[in-house]
Amino acid sequence: MRLRSVITAVLGAAVLLAATPGSAAAATGQFRYSYETVEGYEASGFLNNPPSGRCINLHGVGQENPQPGHSPKNRTDAWATVYTGTDCRGDSFRLRPHTGGASERLKLRSVIFN
């Protein structure tokens, strides 16, 4: 009888583990960029612990702003690929983890971490 209880408990635990969704992968750290607002002011944008494997359109430099972002700094623990267009389209450039950065000549509107 005890063996049946142990087997039932083990099977129950296995079912719970299988049903529990895994935590979403995320890059740890901060990604920063600069941009000019529609009103003409210089601003900074940042992403804290951004999700991995998902394209992120950057705030302030989307289709509503004719000026793209610039001067990205990748301070996360993952590679960041920045794109000149929204939805991770257009020309791209990869920034290494922790120390990756570029000058204001690199224009960007979206990023993906992997």
Side-chain angles (χ1 to χ4, degrees), residues 87-98:
D87 301 320
C88 294
R89 295 186 180 151
D91 293 333
S92 64
F93 186 82
R94 287 180 48 97
L95 299 170
R96 77 181 80 228
H98 303 293

Side-chain angles (χ1 to χ4, degrees), residues 21-111:
S23 62
T28 303
Q30 188 178 70
F31 178 83
R32 299 178 222 155
Y33 60 99
S34 298
Y35 65 99
E36 186 177 314
T37 66
V38 176
E39 296 81 18
Y41 299 106
E42 190 67 24
S44 295
F46 59 92
L47 301 169
N48 288 320
N49 303 322
S52 295
R54 193 181 91 200
C55 181
I56 301 168
N57 289 327
L58 298 173
H59 175 75
V61 296
Q63 294 173 345
E64 73 282 353
N65 188 344
Q67 298 297 319
H70 60 86
S71 307
K73 305 282 185 267
N74 183 19
R75 302 300 183 250
T76 71
D77 62 354
W79 282 88
T81 305
V82 297
Y83 293 85
T84 57
T86 58
D87 301 320
C88 294
R89 295 186 180 151
D91 293 333
S92 64
F93 186 82
R94 287 180 48 97
L95 299 170
R96 77 181 80 228
H98 303 293
T99 60
S103 72
E104 64 185 37
R105 293 185 313 166
L106 181 62
K107 308 301 182 192
L108 64 148
R109 291 189 187 271
S110 57
V111 64

Side-chain angles (χ1 to χ4, degrees), residues 5-18:
S5 296
V6 170
I7 291 173
T8 303
V10 168
L11 287 175
V15 168
L16 284 175
L17 285 175

